Amino acid sequence: MKTIPLFFSIIFSSALVGCGTTTASRTTTGAAAGAATGAAIGSLSANAGRGALIGAGVGALGSFAYDQHEKELQQQRDREAWQAQRNQQLYR
């Protein structure tokens, strides 16, 4: 019976990680989602506090890495769009 709430907390926490538009808001959301998931997992072994701390750290690091990856992809898309526009202007 404990697996159903655990499953839903992991799903909802994962969905919230992408929320936010700045690095700080994404990292904070990831830390909160990780803490909630860690507490849920830790409660299965009677260590909800330790699970929350570990989950918060993992969530913050994971969401920070996700944010940096998204920024890198956006920069690449911007460079490609600029290059395409430049090429279009050169060949007119």
Side-chain angles (χ1 to χ4, degrees):
M1 281 306 238
K2 290 184 179 183
T3 58
I4 292 173
L6 177 64
F7 174 75
F8 283 115
S9 69
I10 291 171
I11 295 299
F12 291 133
S13 298
S14 299
L16 290 175
V17 171
C19 294
T21 55
T22 65
T23 301
S25 66
R26 284 183 177 164
T27 303
T28 303
T29 303
T37 304
I41 293 171
S43 69
L44 297 176
S45 64
N47 273 328
R50 183 178 292 169
L53 287 174
I54 293 170
V58 170
L61 288 174
S63 59
F64 180 77
Y66 171 79
D67 179 67
Q68 296 304 308
H69 176 70
E70 286 297 314
K71 284 183 178 182
E72 198 173 289
L73 287 177
Q74 185 60 44
Q75 287 177 351
Q76 182 179 359
R77 286 189 292 262
D78 290 345
R79 276 193 301 270
E80 290 171 357
W82 179 82
Q83 187 69 34
Q85 184 179 14
R86 183 173 174 252
N87 288 340
Q88 186 179 21
Q89 289 174 352
L90 287 176
Y91 297 116
R92 279 189 179 181

